[in-house]
Amino acid sequence: MTVGGIERGALAGHLPVMYAQVLEGLRVVGDGTYLDGTFGRGGHARGVLEQLGPEGRLLVMDKDPEAIAVAEREFGADPRVSIFRGSFAQLGQWDATATGLDGVLLDLGVSSPQLDVAERGFSFGKDGPLDMRMDPESGVSAAEWLNTADEKAIADVLYTFGEERQSRRIARAIVARRAQAPFSRTAELAELIASVMPRGDSKIHPATRSFQAIRIYINRELGDLEDGLDAALARLRPGGRLAVISFHSLEDRIVKQFIAKHAKAPAGNRRLPVEVEFTPVLRDVSGALKADDAELAVNPRARSAVLRVAEKIGAVA
């Protein structure tokens, strides 16, 4: 069976989300230069590389040292490939991007391998150290933050990044619980949240929004996304494509608004003079794309994925 044009068996262990739509959106040309800012386990990167000729170049980035190890092991010997460990927010600081890019891919959020390994601390369904850092060698862990932040700060994070309506109740319970014993395990946090959440008919685990919020905050995901979109636009050549896969509304809203800001003139006020005429630098290619039924049948994690593709149509002022 094929999924998005690739054999299901070939993707055992990792299914690149919306594979066919991403490659179609990037519109890869053989001698182009493409950047995968979230390598993960390289599913999309392999697809790009297969379409590149000897003059083409693939640049890959990731914050996760395990992902970089996979990239170096599988692609390190290919002279067309360059590898950089770091956030895609830093892509403009990488000399390899200075000559311009024909395409940029950002596959946001946590990867399947990160979710599946309990020791990374991303999943409330697998007990492990309460870490959640995409780069476990940088910054503070989720446990360190939860054990020291004040109640208001915790509530604000849960509400802002998880849209959790019970944020104050959960934050109060976290502070009370850590006074008895500091948090160290994902199961401890998940069980506490479940114990204080009202029982409804929701099919999602009571800790889902809180784990999402803490992960986003710990990894500065939304700030990195805003910086990365600006950097990608600056490095894209005219005609280059930007493809972004997001997995929740906060990310998708940022991407949607970014594309609209650079593609559409802002609403005018007839009472005020037009100071500067608007010149679009992006064209919205796709709108919001979703995974099809065939992909969802073999990769349920694609259910919440939204792909947006834009094309650069002029130089940035």
Side-chain angles (χ1 to χ4, degrees), residues 88 106 108-109 160-161 163 212 216 220-231 233 242 244-263 282 284 306-308 310:
F88 56 72
L106 305 178
L108 306 176
T160 302
F161 299 127
E163 300 175 299
Q212 170 190 295
I216 289 173
R220 197 184 174 272
E221 291 179 36
L222 299 187
D224 275 7
L225 176 56
E226 292 172 344
D227 293 344
L229 290 172
D230 286 336
L233 179 57
L242 170 67
V244 186
I245 304 172
S246 55
F247 289 86
H248 58 75
S249 60
L250 296 175
E251 293 172 336
D252 184 54
R253 188 179 306 134
I254 290 173
V255 178
K256 179 181 179 181
Q257 291 176 349
F258 177 84
I259 293 173
K261 173 184 175 182
H262 294 286
L282 281 179
D284 188 344
V306 178
L307 169 65
R308 294 184 185 272

Side-chain angles (χ1 to χ4, degrees), residues 205-218:
H205 191 282
T208 300
R209 294 187 181 90
S210 295
F211 268 65
Q212 170 190 295
I214 295 166
R215 189 204 80 219
I216 289 173
Y217 174 77
I218 290 294

Side-chain angles (χ1 to χ4, degrees), residues 1-195:
M1 177 181 178
T2 61
V3 181
I6 46 181
E7 291 294 329
R8 179 179 178 180
L11 296 175
H14 180 61
L15 296 172
V17 172
M18 303 183 74
Y19 176 89
Q21 297 97 316
V22 165
L23 292 182
E24 181 181 350
L26 287 174
R27 198 178 55 183
V28 178
V29 295
D31 60 351
T33 300
Y34 296 85
L35 182 140
D36 183 344
T38 47
F39 179 81
R41 291 303 179 265
H44 295 110
R46 289 183 188 90
V48 172
L49 195 58
E50 287 173 1
Q51 298 188 27
L52 291 179
E55 302 302 317
R57 294 203 65 198
L58 173 64
L59 313 180
V60 299
M61 304 182 69
D62 207 294
K63 290 195 290 189
D64 188 339
E66 293 181 10
I68 292 298
V70 172
E72 291 175 341
R73 183 173 68 247
E74 299 194 12
F75 297 149
D78 193 320
R80 299 171 298 170
V81 179
S82 296
I83 301 168
F84 181 89
R85 179 180 168 187
S87 167
F88 56 72
Q90 301 171 286
L91 74 87
Q93 302 168 30
W94 187 10
D95 290 344
T97 70
T99 56
L101 301 169
D102 296 292
V104 174
L105 168 64
L106 305 178
D107 183 359
L108 306 176
V110 63
S111 70
S112 295
Q114 289 168 331
L115 280 171
D116 292 338
V117 177
E119 286 73 23
R120 299 302 298 273
F122 288 105
S123 175
F124 48 78
K126 297 180 175 66
D127 184 35
L130 186 55
D131 195 307
M132 297 196 194
R133 289 173 294 177
M134 292 183 180
D135 180 354
E137 299 172 8
S138 177
V140 300
S141 69
E144 290 172 313
W145 178 71
L146 281 172
N147 288 326
T148 56
D150 64 43
E151 182 178 321
K152 182 180 184 303
I154 296 171
D156 286 348
V157 165
L158 300 186
Y159 184 79
T160 302
F161 299 127
E163 300 175 299
E164 175 54 73
R165 288 179 290 181
Q166 302 295 327
S167 59
R168 293 180 181 175
R169 175 186 294 190
I170 295 170
R172 192 178 311 119
I174 287 172
V175 171
R177 159 65 171 74
R178 79 186 187 196
Q180 302 171 14
F183 288 96
S184 63
R185 310 287 296 181
T186 54
E188 295 169 348
L189 179 60
E191 290 167 5
L192 175 74
I193 294 172
S195 73

